[in-house]
Every structure is written in structure tokens, then in C-alpha cells.
């Protein structure tokens, strides 16, 4: 099967500071890839390059038939096919849950509001929050807000979902509900790339795990293999820490 | 005491008072509308525009915030005709007031825009919204909510600032005052009356801002207080 | 006779500017003294006192400065007090400054949170001692940048007394304009002088508030 996401020797720097160089990665449709590594190793930056939130300086990225090069300007088409969920939820505080979810379908995809509402209801059901459809974000718990953020991304019917440490801002007792939603999404066949500190989750859910270190993909492999049998001392040290 | 206060002679000039009030309202609402539009464009230009535009806008902002409104008014009124632009009194007044408000509003609105968490803008981008759609749907209301107290106190200052236009004989309330005063010789009574009218107008405008706030921000209503929290942002007086 | 705008006229404007500065200093000091007394009372006084101070602030802030100037001017003569325009100008500008400074400083005092008061309570300090040793020193620190920023407004506000004929910088400009008919040269010079006074104050205020923000991180 041909890959749905493919990074080809991409490099990224901020001015003179190199974050990474020559990174390549290939993700098949329906595959779940976990990205792990120490703080500052470039995990978020790599993820953000995939939907063009960060500009790359070299190489190219292919996502669901779109191509990003360093000079690519128009990213809107690509972003319609890639959903992203942030550590800080980033719900729009002045909009209800329904309005948060229907905003992009209405203004970007030009859906009629009944159609958009139907989409909102269906994605909210899938994250188990249909009863909160008219609530405002600040009346929800962190876990609920993050599930709404996932639903908001799903409402655009993306082909790939990106998750950047989506449970890191949550109290430990709330991470479970979010991880469960992600697990169901993975089981439903969504292509997912997730940066995470939840090693057990990566090991159990991700097909592939990528360990980033010093601006490189240091080690990469099937999750069960990589966690039980790390090849590099750096990964061994990271897992034990 | 030199004499008893008598308001009747002043009130005999009610038609002049009403005309003056209407002119003040026209002057204020035109200046406010134009100034806020200018401020909105200025703020967007400063945050989104290329660096030369951003520098040009901040120069405009600093020049207008660090010189008195009265001098700006004189420049517009006396100097524009020199370069062949003959502007009527009312137009000169609105232009000067709007430019002045525009400078403050630029900074106030910009403060609102940069207060929106970056992640929300990125969330908008990753949902495929355009820059314009992000401003319109994601930034506008929350930013306006944040700056509403500062913006509305600035608008109140613009309302009160219209009194300065009497310096170029715009026929607003303060000009009406000097006309009535010179006819009745009841100076103190005239200015007390005028002050009361301005105070009523101010509270009327505040009430209006409160209503607008209530409509715009369905939920948390930010009341327009007369607090000037940061005089760097909002002006105070002339 | 029409004169051409010249170096002598700039000197004339600068002489007007010294009056602008004097008026600014007077109204800042007098208004500041009044506000220093009233701002703490506005926060902590008995409720009739708080309400009257708030009413005073509300009313002054809802009246154009120009009208306050006229009221002071004619109010004084109504009371049969005949003083030079300098006094009417000084009094009205001080009143105006006091109202704004009360609001600014009130905000600063209220920005000091409950825990600080409670810490004072726990140490058995009296109300005055808590104010003197705990609250006011902290409020003072955060009050400096907005207060410096407000000085810009004080300087600009003095221009309004030109309209009662007091010859400060703006009035000097008006007089010159009447004899030179060179409004561009005259008022741009006037504006430049104001700018030279106000812009450094603005920058200082911005720098001070930046420093406080950095220290808080
Ligand atoms: N806007 C920026 N300007 C300059 N340097 C940046 C910027 N954003 C990130 N960096 C640098 O790029 C490197 C990678 O950052 P990144 O956020 O991708 O790390 P990360 O692996 O996601 O870390 P964490 O686990 O802490 O989220 C870091 O050294 C960081 O300092
Ligand atoms: Mg990160």
C-alpha cells in the first residue's frame, strides 16, 4: 500500500538554530505512529510541519495527495485533509461546543447549517459528549474540552489526524477518557501521528513508534518490538527514565 | 455672593442648546465610527502587515498619542487649506478627532489581537480557515471582549473631546455655551447647564455600549467602566 | 503686518512651553496630592465616603476638560475671588488629574490580592500598619508605569487652557499663526515641542511596565 504521509529528508531551522535535518518518515493509511523523545528533540516541530504550521527549509512532504515544499504557499487544501489536536485544547471560548465544531464546516466547506449540525451531532456522539452540545468550553472539564477538540477536527473528515501531547495538560484521572477516544479512532482505521509521553499508550495502540533524538529519527520500528527490545542505548535510557 | 444663580435666562436658549447637542452627537458618532474603523485597520496592519507598514502605523500612533488633540485640530483646520484642501469646519473636526481616536484605537485593538492565544489561531489554520476568516470568526469577539472597557472609555473621551472643536467654531455644545453666555451674561449657569448635558450624554453613551456589549457577548457582559487602567493605552482628556 | 516664521518665533513658542511645563507640574502635583489622599479612601473608606469619591470621579470624567476649565474660571469669579487665569487653569487641570489618578491608583491598590491582607492580619498588624508596610509599597511599585504614562495626558491636557486665553504653548502657536499665516510651520513646531516632552515620558512608562512584567515572570 502506498504511504498517505511521507516526509522526504525534511529539514527545519529557526534562523541559525537547526531543529532537525534530513528526517524521513513514511506512514501507511490506517497506521498509528507514536513519536517519542526528550523535551526539545523536535517532536512538535516535526508534527507541525506536516500541516504546514511550520515552514520547512529543505526536503518535501507528501500528505494525502498534497505536497509541501519549502516554497509552498497555499496550504489550505492540505489542511482540509489533516486534522490537528493541541496540548492546550484551543477551543474557541466565545463559541458553544456546537459552534466550535460547525465553524469550519460552515465557513470553509460551505455546508448548510443543518448539515453542519448533523455532522456536529455525529462526531460528538463518537466522543461521548452529545449532551454538552450547547455548553460553552469553560463549563467543561479539561478532558471534555480535549474530546470536543478531537470532535472538532473530526468534523472536517480528515484523512490524517495529528495529536501533540494531547493529554499532557490534563489531570491524571482525566487522561483515560481522552486516550480511550483516540484508541477508538485508531480502531476505526484513522491514520494517526501522535506525539506522546504516555509510553504504555504508545506501546499498546501505536503500530509504529519513532524515537527522536538530537534532531534525528534515532530509532524506529514496530511498537512492541521497539519498547521491549530497544537497540540504541539512548532509547534504552529514555524508556527507563 | 455677587449674585443669585438664575437658570431661566439660559434655558430660554433651549433651541440653541438642542442644536448644539445634536451637532455634538453628530460630531461624536462620525468621529467614533471613522476612528474605530481606522483603529481596526491600523491594528490589523500592525499585526499582519509587512514591516514597513507596521513601522508606518506605529509612527502614526506615536505622533498622534504624544501631541494634543487641539494642536492636531489646528493643523487639520488651518494647514490643509494651505495645500489646497479647503475643508469645512465639521469635516476638519471629524477628521482630526477620527485620526486621534484611530491612534489610540489601533493600540487598544492590537492589544486585544495579541492577547488571543496562539494555539487558537493555529487551530483555525489547521481547520483550513483563511487569515480573514480567522480574524472574523476566532479573533474578533474574544479580542473585543478583552478590550471593551478600554475601548469604550476611549470612546467616551472622544465624545468629550468634541468640545475642543469649539476652538474652530464648530457649532457644537461648547460653542453654543459661549453664544448663550455672551447673550445672557450668566456664565456660571451656562456652563453648569452645559456640563449637565455632557454628563447625561456620557452616561447615555455608556448605557449604549453596555447594551451593545450585551448583544455582542451573549454571555459574560463586560460593563464599560470609566476606569482608565492603562493611560498608555487609553488617553485622558485632550 | 505679516511676519515670516523665524527663529525668534521658536523662542516665543519655547517661552510658551515653559508655561505648559509649569502648569503640567502644578496640576500633576496638586492633583496627585488629592488623589493620594482619596485613592486609599476610595478603596477602604466607609461606604458613604467611597460613594462620594466615586461620584466625584464619575462626574469629572463625564465632563469635558474644557467645561471644567470654564467652570473653574467663572466659578471663582462667582465666589468673588478674582485671581489671574493661571489659578483657574491650575485648579481645573488639578481637578481633572485627580479624578484620573484616583482611578489609576485605586486599580493598583485593588491589584494587591487578599492573601497579602490576610498575611498582614495574621501578623496582627493594624489596618493602617498593613497599608503602610504591606499594601501601599507594593501598590506604589505597580503604580509607577501608569502614573508616568498619565503625565503624558497631563501635559497634553494643558493645551485646553489656551481656549481661555492663557498663553501656554498652544496659545502661543495660535498667536503666531495670526501674525505669520504659516499654520504648517507654526503648528508643526508646536506639535514637535509637545512630542519632545511627551514621547520620552511614553517610552519611559512603556519601559517601566515592561520591566515589571519581566520581573513577574
Ligand atoms: N519558534 C521557535 N523559535 C526558535 N526555536 C524554537 C521555536 N520553536 C521551537 N524551537 C526549538 O526547537 C527545538 C524543538 O522544539 P519542539 O517544540 O519541537 O520540541 P519537542 O520535542 O516538542 O519538546 P517538548 O517535549 O518539550 O514539547 C527546541 O530546541 C526549541 O527550543
Ligand atoms: Mg512539544
Amino acid at each position: 500500500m502506498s504511504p498517505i504521509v511521507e516526509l522526504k529528508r525534511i529539514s527545519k531551522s529557526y534562523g541559525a538554530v537547526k531543529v532537525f535535518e534530513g528526517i524521513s518518515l513514511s506512514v501507511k493509511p490506517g497506521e498509528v505512529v507514536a513519536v517519542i523523545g526528550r523535551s526539545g528533540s523536535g517532536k512538535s516541530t516535526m508534527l507541525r510541519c506536516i500541516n504546514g504550521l511550520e515552514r520547512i527549509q529543505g526536503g518535501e512532504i507528501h500528505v494525502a495527495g498534497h505536497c509541501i515544499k519549502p516554497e509552498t504557499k497555499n496550504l489550505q487544501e492540505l489542511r482540509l485533509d489533516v486534522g490537528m489536536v493541541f496540548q492546550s485544547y484551543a477551543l474557541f471560548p466565545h463559541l458553544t461546543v456546537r459552534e466550535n465544531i460547525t465553524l469550519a464546516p460552515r465557513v470553509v466547506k460551505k455546508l448548510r447549517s443543518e448539515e453542519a449540525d448533523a455532522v456536529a451531532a455525529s462526531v460528538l456522539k463518537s466522543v461521548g459528549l452529545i449532551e454538552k452540545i450547547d455548553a460553552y468550553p469553560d463549563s467543561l472539564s479539561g478532558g471534555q474540552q480535549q474530546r470536543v477538540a478531537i470532535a472538532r477536527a473530526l468534523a472536517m473528515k480528515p484523512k490524517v489526524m495529528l495529536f501533540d501531547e494531547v493529554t499532557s495538560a490534563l489531570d491524571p484521572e482525566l487522561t483515560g477518557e481522552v486516550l480511550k477516544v483516540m484508541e477508538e479512532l485508531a480502531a476505526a482505521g484513522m491514520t494517526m501521528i501522535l506525539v506522546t509521553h504516555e509510553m504504555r499508550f504508545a506501546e499498546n495502540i501505536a503500530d509504529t513508534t519513532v524515537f527522536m533524538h538530537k534532531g534525528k529519527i534515532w530509532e524506529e520500528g514496530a511498537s512492541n518490538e521497539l519498547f521491549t527490545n530497544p537497540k540504541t542505548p539512548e532509547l534504552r535510557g529514555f524508556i527507563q527514565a | 455672593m455677587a449674585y443669585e444663580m438664575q437658570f431661566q435666562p439660559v434655558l430660554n436658549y433651549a433651541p440653541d442648546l438642542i442644536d448644539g447637542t445634536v451637532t455634538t452627537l453628530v460630531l461624536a458618532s462620525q468621529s467614533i465610527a471613522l476612528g474605530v474603523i481606522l483603529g481596526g485597520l491600523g491594528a490589523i496592519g500592525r499585526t499582519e502587515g509587512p514591516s514597513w507598514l507596521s513601522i508606518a502605523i506605529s509612527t502614526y500612533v506615536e505622533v498622534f498619542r504624544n501631541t494634543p488633540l487641539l494642536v492636531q485640530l489646528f493643523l487639520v483646520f488651518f494647514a490643509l487649506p494651505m495645500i489646497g484642501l479647503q475643508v469645512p469646519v465639521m469635516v476638519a473636526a471629524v477628521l482630526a478627532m477620527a485620526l486621534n481616536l484611530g491612534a489610540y484605537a489601533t493600540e487598544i485593538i492590537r492589544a486585544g489581537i495579541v492577547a488571543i492565544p496562539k494555539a487558537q489561531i493555529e487551530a483555525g489554520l489547521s481547520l483550513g480557515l483563511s487569515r480573514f476568516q480567522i480574524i472574523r470568526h476566532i479573533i474578533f469577539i474574544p479580542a473585543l471582549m478583552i478590550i471593551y472597557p478600554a475601548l469604550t472609555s476611549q470612546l467616551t473621551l472622544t465624545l468629550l473631546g468634541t468640545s475642543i472643536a469649539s476652538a474652530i467654531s464648530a457649532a457644537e455644545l461648547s460653542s453654543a455655551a459661549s453664544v448663550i453666555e455672551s447673550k445672557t451674561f450668566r456664565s456660571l449657569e451656562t456652563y453648569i447647564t452645559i456640563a449637565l448635558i455632557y454628563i447625561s450624554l456620557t452616561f447615555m453613551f455608556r448605557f449604549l455600549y453596555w447594551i451593545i456589549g450585551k448583544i455582542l457577548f451573549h454571555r459574560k457582559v463586560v460593563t464599560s467602566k470609566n476606569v482608565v487602567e492603562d493611560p498608555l493605552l487609553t488617553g485622558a482628556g485632550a | 503686518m505679516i511676519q515670516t516664521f523665524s527663529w525668534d518665533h521658536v523662542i516665543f513658542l519655547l517661552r510658551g512651553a515653559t508655561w505648559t511645563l509649569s502648569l503640567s507640574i502644578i496640576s500633576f502635583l496638586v492633583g496627585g496630592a488629592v488623589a493620594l489622599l482619596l485613592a486609599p479612601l476610595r478603596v477602604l473608606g466607609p461606604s458613604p465616603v467611597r460613594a462620594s469619591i466615586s461620584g466625584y470621579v464619575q462626574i469629572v470624567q463625564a465632563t469635558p476638560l474644557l467645561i471644567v476649565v470654564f467652570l473653574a474660571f467663572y466659578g471663582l469669579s462667582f465666589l468673588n475671588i478674582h485671581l489671574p487665569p493661571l489659578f483657574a487653569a491650575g485648579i481645573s487641570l488639578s481637578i481633572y488629574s485627580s479624578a484620573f489618578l484616583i482611578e489609576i491608583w485605586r486599580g493598583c491598590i485593588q491589584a494587591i490580592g487578599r492573601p497579602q491582607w490576610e498575611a498582614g492580619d495574621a501578623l496582627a498588624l493594624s489596618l493602617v500598619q498593613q497599608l503602610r508596610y504591606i499594601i501601599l509599597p507594593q501598590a506604589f511599585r505597580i503604580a509607577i508605569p501608569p502614573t508616568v504614562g498619565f503625565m503624558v495626558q497631563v501635559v497634553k491636557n494643558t493645551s485646553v487652557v489656551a481656549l481661555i486665553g492663557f498663553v501656554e504653548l498652544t496659545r502661543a502657536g495660535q498667536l503666531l499663526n495670526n501674525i505669520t499665516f504659516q499654520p504648517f510651520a507654526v503648528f508643526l513646531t508646536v506639535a514637535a515641542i509637545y512630542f519632545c516632552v511627551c514621547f520620552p515620558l511614553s517610552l519611559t512608562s512603556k519601559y517601566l511596565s515592561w520591566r515589571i512584567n519581566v520581573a513577574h515572570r
Side-chain angles (χ1 to χ4, degrees):
Chain A
M1 214 176 342
S2 65
I4 184 166
V5 177
E6 195 166 21
L7 314 189
K8 292 183 174 169
R9 294 177 312 281
I10 63 165
S11 45
K12 169 75 199 173
S13 48
Y14 291 105
V17 184
K18 256 182 213 148
V19 181
F20 49 69
E21 195 162 29
I23 282 195
S24 297
L25 179 70
S26 170
V27 182
K28 292 191 292 290
E31 189 176 354
V32 177
V33 177
V35 181
I36 60 174
R38 286 187 207 289
S39 181
S41 57
K43 308 180 294 293
S44 298
T45 308
M46 180 181 79
L47 201 68
R48 292 156 58 84
C49 288
I50 298 175
N51 72 347
L53 283 180
E54 301 287 349
R55 181 172 288 276
I56 52 174
Q57 271 76 44
E60 54 186 68
I61 303 175
H62 295 266
V63 187
H66 310 279
C67 174
I68 315 179
K69 291 181 178 154
E71 66 275 11
T72 304
K73 284 261 156 56
N74 187 0
L75 296 157
Q76 208 173 2
E77 297 287 310
L78 160 106
R79 283 173 178 154
L80 290 181
D81 286 333
V82 183
M84 179 150 187
V85 185
F86 300 83
Q87 180 175 345
S88 59
Y89 334 132
L91 293 182
F92 309 129
H94 59 302
L95 303 179
T96 62
V97 167
R98 182 205 308 272
E99 291 162 342
N100 260 279
I101 297 174
T102 57
L103 175 65
R106 280 187 297 111
V107 308
V108 181
K109 286 192 165 170
K110 312 287 181 211
L111 256 53
R112 282 183 291 115
S113 64
E114 314 84 82
E115 295 172 314
D117 281 352
V119 173
S122 108
V123 290
L124 270 178
K125 272 190 200 118
S126 72
V127 300
L129 280 174
I130 188 70
E131 75 280 7
K132 297 291 185 189
I133 190 158
D134 289 315
Y136 279 95
D138 62 8
S139 68
L140 303 181
S141 73
Q144 291 170 332
Q145 291 193 43
Q146 195 58 292
R147 282 147 70 198
V148 172
I150 294 172
R152 179 175 70 182
L154 290 176
M156 293 299 278
K157 310 222 182 319
K159 300 191 173 109
V160 178
M161 286 282 286
L162 309 175
F163 297 83
D164 191 0
E165 295 194 32
V166 295
T167 56
S168 297
L170 296 176
D171 292 337
E173 68 271 21
L174 297 178
T175 57
E177 58 187 79
V178 175
L179 295 178
K180 181 166 155 280
V181 167
M182 291 166 68
E183 195 177 334
E184 287 164 1
L185 202 53
M190 176 63 77
T191 309
M192 296 165 48
I193 305 178
L194 43 106
V195 172
T196 185
H197 285 162
E198 305 274 342
M199 294 306 154
R200 184 144 334 122
F201 183 75
E203 185 171 0
N204 293 338
I205 306 303
D207 306 301
T208 309
T209 293
V210 167
F211 172 59
M212 287 189 71
H213 187 66
K214 292 194 170 160
K216 287 196 174 62
I217 291 185
W218 204 258
E219 202 174 326
E220 175 184 4
S223 298
N224 42 18
E225 175 65 20
L226 187 121
F227 279 101
T228 47
N229 207 353
K231 293 194 182 60
T232 58
E234 289 80 5
L235 177 57
R236 208 169 302 135
F238 178 74
I239 292 172
Q240 277 156 10
Chain B
M1 291 290 152
Y3 56 73
E4 295 277 298
M5 282 222 227
Q6 282 182 18
F7 283 90
Q8 195 51 51
V10 176
L11 296 179
N12 287 341
Y13 285 87
D16 295 73
L17 290 173
I18 293 172
D19 283 351
T21 306
V22 170
T23 308
T24 290
L25 285 175
V26 169
L27 203 55
S29 41
Q30 291 180 344
S31 311
I32 286 173
L34 212 60
V36 170
I37 292 173
L38 205 56
L41 293 177
I44 293 173
R46 263 208 75 175
T47 46
E48 307 262 320
S51 62
W52 64 264
L53 182 63
S54 174
I55 291 169
I57 293 172
S58 35
T59 308
Y60 153 67
V61 167
E62 294 305 339
V63 166
F64 276 80
R65 292 198 313 168
N66 286 289
T67 51
L69 173 60
L70 184 55
V71 175
Q72 293 160 15
L73 184 68
F74 284 155
L75 268 171
V76 170
F77 185 66
F78 292 117
L80 284 189
M82 294 278 145
I83 52 169
L85 283 171
Q86 207 71 46
V87 279
V89 168
M90 280 293 276
V91 176
V94 169
L95 198 59
M97 307 269 319
L99 283 170
N100 184 275
L101 172 58
Y104 283 98
T106 295
E107 275 305 282
I108 294 172
I109 296 172
R110 192 181 72 96
I113 293 177
V114 300
I116 302 301
K118 213 170 139 235
Q120 284 181 19
I121 292 162
E122 291 180 343
L125 286 173
S126 40
L127 288 167
L129 273 69
S130 66
R131 297 295 314 178
F132 176 77
Q133 287 170 331
I134 287 174
I135 291 175
R136 157 95 180 68
H137 295 285
I138 297 176
I139 297 180
F140 182 69
I141 291 287
L144 189 59
M145 207 155 132
I146 293 168
I147 62 166
Y148 206 60
L151 186 63
T152 52
S153 12
Q154 190 61 46
L155 299 187
T156 300
L157 291 170
T158 298
L159 167 66
L160 300 177
T162 56
S163 63
I164 297 290
S166 59
I168 56 168
S169 324
E172 42 66 74
L173 257 182
S174 301
S175 300
S178 47
V179 171
I180 296 171
E181 185 218 334
S182 66
K183 288 184 180 160
T184 61
F185 301 106
R186 294 278 163 191
S187 315
L188 191 57
E189 291 90 330
T190 306
Y191 284 104
I192 289 176
T193 309
I194 295 290
L196 290 176
I197 298 178
Y198 274 114
I199 292 169
S200 326
L201 289 182
T202 303
F203 283 98
M204 219 178 69
F205 270 66
R206 289 215 188 113
F207 181 66
L208 197 66
Y209 301 142
W210 181 78
I211 300 270
I212 294 173
K214 203 144 177 113
I215 294 168
L216 281 178
F217 320 125
H218 310 272
R219 336 175 39 220
K220 225 185 294 171
V221 178
V222 186
T223 48
S224 143
K225 281 175 295 194
N226 57 330
V227 190
V228 181
E229 281 100 351
D230 183 359
L232 264 194
L233 267 187
T234 52
Chain C
M1 199 194 85
I2 297 182
Q3 301 181 11
T4 323
F5 188 63
S6 69
W7 189 240
D8 287 343
H9 294 136
V10 176
I11 303 288
F12 179 70
L13 288 179
L14 288 174
R15 208 168 302 136
T18 60
W19 279 109
T20 291
L21 287 183
S22 317
L23 265 181
S24 306
I25 292 168
I26 291 171
S27 56
F28 179 74
L29 291 181
V30 176
V34 172
L36 204 55
L37 188 72
L38 295 187
L41 284 175
R42 168 74 182 77
V43 183
L44 300 162
S47 67
V49 173
R50 285 199 312 245
S52 349
I53 297 174
S54 160
Y56 165 75
V57 170
Q58 294 267 352
I59 287 175
V60 174
Q61 292 192 341
T63 312
L65 175 56
L66 179 63
I67 302 301
V68 177
V69 171
F70 278 124
L71 282 173
F73 196 64
Y74 294 114
L76 284 176
S77 50
F78 177 73
L79 298 172
N80 242 337
I81 304 171
H82 293 285
L83 294 171
L86 171 65
F87 284 84
I91 288 174
S92 45
L93 289 168
S94 301
I95 290 174
Y96 218 67
S97 299
S98 71
F100 281 88
L101 286 173
I102 289 172
E103 277 305 275
I104 295 171
W105 292 347
R106 176 186 75 114
C108 295
I109 296 173
Q110 287 176 335
I112 310 301
R114 281 216 66 75
Q116 293 291 317
W117 287 96
E118 284 162 2
D121 273 336
L123 294 170
L125 298 180
S126 72
L127 180 71
V128 174
Q129 286 170 327
Q130 289 182 32
L131 265 180
R132 162 77 184 76
Y133 295 105
I134 300 178
I135 305 302
L136 289 186
Q138 297 183 62
F140 186 72
R141 221 173 67 88
I142 54 174
I144 292 176
T147 304
V148 174
F150 181 68
M151 288 178 187
V152 175
Q153 312 299 337
V154 174
V155 174
K156 293 192 301 175
N157 282 345
T158 59
S159 66
V160 168
V161 304
L163 301 180
I164 56 165
F166 185 92
V167 187
E168 40 61 77
L169 178 52
T170 302
R171 182 71 187 150
Q174 267 184 301
L175 296 175
L176 273 190
N177 182 42
N178 291 343
I179 54 171
T180 62
F181 294 101
Q182 286 176 287
F184 254 126
V186 172
F187 287 118
L188 279 182
T189 313
V190 169
I193 298 173
Y194 276 111
F195 189 81
C196 290
V197 178
C198 293
F199 191 53
L201 286 173
S202 295
L203 286 182
T204 310
S205 168
K206 220 180 240 177
Y207 167 73
L208 290 172
S209 73
W210 170 81
R211 228 181 45 178
I212 286 185
N213 283 338
V214 168
H216 267 265
R217 258 181 235 136

